Amino acid sequence: MHALTGQDKLAFNKLQKRLRRQVGNAIVDYGMIRDGDKVMVCLSGGKDSYTMLDILMNLQRNAPVAFELVAVNLDQKQPGFPEHVLPDYLDGVGVPYHIVERDTYSVVKEKTPEGKTTCALCSRLRRGTLYGFAEEIGANKIALGHHREDMLETLFLNMFFGGTLKSMPPKLLSDDNKNVVIRPLAYCREADIAEYAEWRAFPIIPCNLCGSQPNLQRQVVKEMLADWEEKHPGRLEAMFKSITNVAPSQLADRDLFDFVGLEDKQREFQSKRIEALDVLTREA
C-alpha cells in the first residue's frame, strides 16, 4: 500500500469505510454469508477481485458471524501470464489459497471462429471449472467480483442483444442447485473500486485473452453508460435502484403477472364490496 499522510489518509479511510459499508449492506440485505460458511473468493488478478478479497478479509475480523475465506485463482494458461504474482500476493496477506491450472485458453482459441469474441465460451469454461472446484474443497459459497456497473451493463446487454430483462443477481443458485454464487460488490461503484485498488497498489494482472478484443458489445454498453453518467450525474444510481424495485404488473411478462385473470380479480373485489355494503345496510 502507498504511504499515506494527512489529507490522503483521510480520503483513503473515507473510501474504505464506504466500500466496507456497501459490502456489509449487500451481505445483510441478500443473506450472502452466514455463520459457518466457507466462501471461495474467485481471484482473477483484476482490481475488482483484489478489492473484494481485501474488504471481505477486513469484514471477517469484525463480523458478528464466523466464516472462512479461501482464495482461488484459475490459471487459464494464457501466454505471458505472470504465474508468480498471485501466490506472492496471497502469501503476503496470509489467506489460504489454491491455484487451479486448466488450459482453457487453448480450448477457447481452438473453438472460437476467427473474428468472433471469446468471452462466452471462456466464461462458460471458467464457471464450470470453478463450480466444480468449490465442491472439491467444501466451499458452500462462491464470491465473484462483479460490481454495480457490471450488473447494469449486463441488464442492457440482455435487453439490446438477448431480448430479456435480466441482470446479474447479487445472490444466485446455480442451475444444478449445487452452488450458491454471491456478489459482495453489488452496491459498489466501479470508480470507487478503481481508486481503492490504486491506493492499495494491488499487483494488477491484465486479461490479454478478451480485454484486447475490439468491438465487444459489453464495451459499447460500458461507454454508453459512462456517457449517460457524465451528462446526467446520478443516472446510474437511479437505474441500479430500479432493478431492486421491480413492479411485475407494470411490465408484460405473463409468467410473472396474471394479466388474463384481471377481470376475475375485479369481479371478486366487486363481489366482496357488495357483500360488505349489504351487511352495513342490514345493520343500519
Side-chain angles (χ1 to χ4, degrees):
M1 181 171 171
H2 297 304
L4 302 178
T5 57
Q7 291 297 113
D8 286 346
K9 189 171 184 179
L10 289 174
F12 171 77
N13 288 339
K14 184 177 180 180
L15 174 62
Q16 185 180 51
K17 287 179 181 178
R18 180 161 66 248
L19 290 172
R20 282 187 54 179
R21 182 179 68 253
Q22 291 169 339
V23 171
N25 287 344
I27 288 172
V28 171
D29 288 350
Y30 293 95
M32 291 185 184
I33 298 176
R34 298 180 180 180
D35 193 53
D37 279 350
K38 182 173 184 178
V39 183
M40 187 178 94
V41 182
C42 297
L43 196 66
S44 67
K47 69 182 189 313
D48 305 326
S49 58
Y50 274 125
T51 297
M52 174 176 63
L53 175 63
D54 192 79
I55 296 296
L56 286 176
M57 291 178 65
N58 194 298
L59 290 173
Q60 185 186 37
R61 291 190 283 270
N62 302 298
V65 297
F67 60 93
E68 184 179 349
L69 295 175
V70 55
V72 172
N73 169 253
L74 175 59
D75 180 355
Q76 298 177 269
K77 297 304 175 185
Q78 297 179 35
F81 183 79
E83 297 180 357
H84 66 285
V85 171
L86 283 169
D88 288 351
Y89 173 79
L90 294 168
D91 284 334
V93 299
V95 66
Y97 70 90
H98 299 274
I99 305 296
V100 181
E101 297 186 3
R102 297 286 190 279
D103 189 5
T104 60
Y105 177 86
S106 295
V107 176
V108 170
K109 300 304 285 186
E110 177 187 345
K111 300 293 184 183
T112 305
E114 188 69 28
K116 298 293 184 180
T117 58
T118 60
C119 294
L121 178 57
C122 178
S123 177
R124 194 158 59 246
L125 292 173
R126 186 171 63 247
R127 184 167 57 245
T129 300
L130 290 171
Y131 281 10
F133 192 71
E135 286 191 78
E136 287 183 34
I137 63 174
N140 64 316
K141 299 286 175 64
I142 300 174
L144 303 180
H146 299 120
H147 47 69
R148 183 191 70 173
E149 278 84 345
D150 286 325
M151 296 169 69
L152 288 175
E153 288 162 18
T154 302
L155 174 70
F156 284 96
L157 279 169
N158 284 319
M159 289 174 63
F160 293 165
F161 305 107
T164 59
L165 190 61
K166 66 179 183 180
S167 178
M168 293 174 170
K171 186 177 181 181
L172 171 73
L173 181 63
S174 62
D175 292 340
D176 60 8
N177 296 322
K178 293 181 179 179
N179 301 103
V180 174
V181 176
I182 60 174
R183 296 183 168 95
L185 300 181
Y187 289 169
C188 300
R189 297 169 60 244
E190 183 175 15
D192 284 345
I193 294 169
E195 183 181 354
Y196 187 78
E198 187 174 350
W199 280 118
R200 298 284 283 139
F202 295 134
I204 303 298
I205 302 173
C207 176
N208 297 319
L209 178 61
C210 59
S212 59
Q213 296 176 97
N215 302 321
L216 288 177
Q217 293 172 342
R218 181 172 289 276
Q219 185 60 35
V220 172
V221 171
K222 178 185 284 289
E223 292 171 1
M224 178 192 75
L225 294 180
D227 183 59
W228 283 356
E229 183 67 13
E230 182 180 354
K231 293 178 179 176
H232 308 280
R235 175 170 288 187
L236 295 192
E237 185 65 32
M239 287 193 298
F240 182 80
K241 186 176 180 181
S242 74
I243 66 175
T244 71
N245 186 27
V246 179
S249 65
Q250 306 303 305
L251 297 173
D253 190 324
R254 291 170 293 171
D255 291 331
L256 290 180
F257 189 79
D258 183 14
F259 295 99
V260 175
L262 281 178
E263 289 83 359
D264 293 336
K265 187 175 182 179
Q266 181 189 38
R267 281 192 293 271
E268 181 182 358
F269 173 79
Q270 292 290 356
S271 173
K272 290 180 178 179
R273 184 182 178 197
I274 292 171
E275 289 175 4
L277 288 173
D278 287 344
V279 169
L280 291 173
T281 300
R282 287 197 298 270
E283 288 179 351

